[in-house]
Amino acid sequence: MLLLLFLLLLLLCLLFLLLPPLAVLQQQQSQGPRLSWLAGLQHRVAWGLLCWAAAWQQWRLEQRTLHVSQSQQQALQWCLKRAQGTRCPLRGSTDMSAFRNHLPVTKASQAQKEESEGQLSTSNQPHGEASVQATLLGLAALNKAYPEVQAPGGRACVTPTSPWPHRLPWPWHALGQVSPPGSKDPDALLLGALMSPGLRALEAGTAVELLDVFSGLEARGEELAEAIAAGNPGVPLPRRAAELREALEQGPRGLALRLWPKLQVVVTLDAGGQAEAVAALGALWCQGLDFFSPAYAASGGAMGLNLGPEQPRGLYVLPPGAPLIELLPVKEGPQEEAATTILLGEAQKGKEYELVLTDHASLTRCCLGDVVRVIDAHNQCPIVRFVGRLGQTLSVRGEDIGEDMFSEALGRAVVQWPGAKLLDHGCVESSILGQHVCGVCLQIPLGALLPTMRYLWH
């Protein structure tokens, strides 16, 4: 029996090694628009393996969240064993209490100063098991909610950055993608998506980046249409160029569905502060589409996992694996320097906490500044919503107020205007007027003959 399993695994490995060159050769010989049978076989096998890997990660996540204290202790051991340099004062000790006593909590500003002086080595890129879990579970959840999205040619990323925190190796890296993975040319990515009218999912690094893509598309629409008509790159597609021009002539509202009639979902990574960009996209360019974020990427590379598209938007579970995440209670008024952190299993529903991250690169308990509110729990781990970042204040008339408080007050004011929707807002200091100016962008239904956008300057 074991010999048979070994032979099957050996044949499967040989198949993986032979599929890429054979698929490329077959595609080079085939002039038709359909994928070769070898490429189709590669796609089916890859998806089968991805679903298996996602099921394994889902099981691991369930086990870890059921035993959160033990899981965080293991995360601490992982960080200590892989600590770089000789800064680790806990050689031979992996006790959580000793770890907290020997390593004080460090503010983000202090960590950045030490990093610039070469004392620390930190990274803002998502890392650890959470990034792999977020990608595998997110792709599997997307496939379950929107089965047609993962068909060959069903997805396109229009930004150099990807919404998936971890880049998967072959044979998974190109599943359903229109553009080649790893491409960094924004124009090539956008053109690849525009030349594929059958897209089911539109991907971008963040909602803010996608907002810039649609703004640039409207500004450079004719240039892009000419490139598509001339076949730069690829085969000339004059009919598709005409469809692009016609879609742009009808304005921004619902533009995505006019360009891609089969589009179902927009996938972006939640990096905090993206809610208004998502609202703007949903009100105009991506009207009528669903939005999905596979993860919340906090400062310093910490990850929050999205349990599925059916969950309310903006809710993420904080995983207990590496890197180690602690929670610092947020209190009104000045923050106490010696405030005590808690572990994930001790979080209370309705309370707000600042994320404290420890990874193996710096071995520093760093306050990230990201504030989250506990909404619910998944087993023993908190499900949170991003609230804002500490230290970020607005000065509308010379006073200092939190950005989240200002946004909440502005949202309540807009509700009193029937039919209006808040798309974006900003606050800058005007050197011309000699005072602070608040700009508010609203969508106002005043009739088809009147502009739907108004900028109110106070």
Side-chain angles (χ1 to χ4, degrees):
M1 185 65 180
L2 291 176
L3 179 61
L4 180 60
L5 290 175
F6 174 77
L7 291 175
L8 288 176
L9 288 174
L10 181 61
L11 289 175
L12 190 60
C13 292
L14 290 175
L15 178 63
F16 282 169
L17 292 175
L18 290 174
L19 275 177
L22 289 177
V24 171
L25 179 62
Q26 182 72 11
Q27 286 177 341
Q28 290 176 348
Q29 295 176 349
S30 176
Q31 301 297 327
R34 295 183 179 179
L35 291 176
S36 68
W37 68 272
L38 283 173
L41 177 61
Q42 177 184 349
H43 187 273
R44 288 192 294 272
V45 172
W47 261 114
L49 288 174
L50 186 141
C51 292
W52 178 86
W56 167 250
Q57 289 292 344
Q58 182 67 48
W59 180 84
R60 285 175 59 86
L61 179 63
E62 291 299 318
Q63 294 301 311
R64 287 176 177 270
T65 55
L66 283 172
H67 310 283
V68 62
S69 298
Q70 179 181 353
S71 299
Q72 290 211 275
Q73 183 66 45
Q74 294 173 352
L76 174 60
Q77 295 175 3
W78 183 89
C79 292
L80 294 176
K81 288 180 180 179
R82 290 163 177 79
Q84 300 175 356
T86 59
R87 293 187 70 258
C88 182
L90 299 173
R91 297 293 180 183
S93 175
T94 57
D95 181 69
M96 187 69 72
S97 299
F99 165 75
R100 286 169 154 177
N101 293 333
H102 282 82
L103 292 178
V105 174
T106 303
K107 296 296 182 181
S109 56
Q110 181 180 349
Q112 292 173 357
K113 180 180 179 181
E114 293 181 0
E115 179 184 3
S116 63
E117 295 174 353
Q119 300 179 29
L120 295 180
S121 174
T122 60
S123 172
N124 287 326
Q125 298 300 321
H127 49 270
E129 185 180 14
S131 63
V132 180
Q133 286 181 334
T135 301
L136 289 174
L137 297 181
L139 285 170
L142 196 66
N143 182 53
K144 182 179 179 181
Y146 311 96
E148 297 177 341
V149 163
Q150 305 298 355
R155 297 163 39 222
C157 186
V158 293
T159 59
T161 57
S162 171
W164 306 104
H166 191 88
R167 182 179 178 183
L168 298 177
W170 184 90
W172 296 314
H173 62 73
L175 282 177
Q177 285 280 6
V178 169
S179 302
S183 177
K184 299 298 182 182
D185 185 359
D187 289 342
L189 293 172
L190 181 56
L191 283 171
L194 291 174
M195 291 188 294
S196 305
L199 288 183
R200 306 281 185 168
L202 190 65
E203 298 179 0
T206 63
V208 173
E209 293 178 65
L210 186 57
L211 206 60
D212 293 337
V213 169
F214 276 109
S215 299
L217 175 58
E218 290 187 284
R220 302 173 52 234
E222 183 58 33
E223 176 186 344
L224 295 170
E226 291 177 356
I228 294 174
N232 183 23
V235 181
L237 300 173
R239 182 176 178 181
R240 183 57 180 164
E243 293 174 352
L244 173 58
R245 292 188 178 98
E246 182 181 355
L248 290 172
E249 288 175 356
Q250 299 180 40
R253 190 187 303 274
L255 176 60
L257 277 176
R258 291 197 301 273
L259 290 174
W260 302 285
K262 297 181 180 180
L263 198 62
Q264 295 177 286
V265 61
V266 176
V267 183
T268 60
L269 183 66
D270 190 350
Q274 304 288 314
E276 289 166 352
V278 172
L281 290 167
L284 288 178
W285 298 277
C286 300
Q287 190 177 59
L289 295 172
D290 295 333
F291 286 81
F292 173 66
S293 173
Y296 163 66
S299 306
M303 298 297 303
L305 305 181
N306 191 336
L307 297 179
E310 70 280 359
Q311 300 294 324
R313 187 185 302 171
L315 297 186
Y316 305 93
V317 59
L318 295 179
L324 178 66
I325 299 178
E326 300 174 78
L327 302 175
L328 183 66
V330 175
K331 300 179 180 179
E332 297 293 337
Q335 298 294 308
E336 299 181 8
E337 294 295 333
T340 304
T341 61
I342 64 172
L343 298 178
L344 297 181
E346 303 169 312
Q348 298 181 22
K349 184 177 180 179
K351 299 292 185 179
E352 293 185 358
Y353 301 93
E354 181 182 4
L355 299 182
V356 179
L357 177 72
T358 302
D359 66 1
H360 70 282
S362 61
L363 204 63
T364 301
R365 300 171 66 205
C366 180
C367 292
L368 302 180
D370 295 64
V371 178
V372 296
R373 180 182 294 116
V374 178
I375 305 298
D376 205 342
H378 178 73
N379 295 330
Q380 297 179 359
C381 282
I383 296 177
V384 301
R385 184 188 302 276
F386 175 82
V387 175
R389 289 189 173 92
L390 292 178
Q392 291 189 351
T393 59
L394 296 176
S395 183
V396 180
R397 287 294 183 268
E399 73 284 358
D400 290 331
I401 59 175
E403 184 179 4
D404 56 331
M405 183 183 299
F406 180 81
S407 299
E408 182 179 357
L410 186 58
R412 291 180 179 177
V414 172
V415 171
Q416 301 179 22
W417 192 334
K421 293 183 179 180
L422 177 65
L423 300 185
D424 200 0
H425 73 271
C427 183
V428 297
E429 184 175 359
S430 172
S431 59
I432 299 176
L433 300 178
Q435 60 183 359
H436 291 84
V437 180
C438 175
V440 182
C441 179
L442 298 175
Q443 175 193 353
I444 308 172
L446 295 180
L449 297 179
L450 296 177
T452 58
M453 304 294 295
R454 292 290 188 271
Y455 288 87
L456 307 180
W457 297 99
H458 304 287

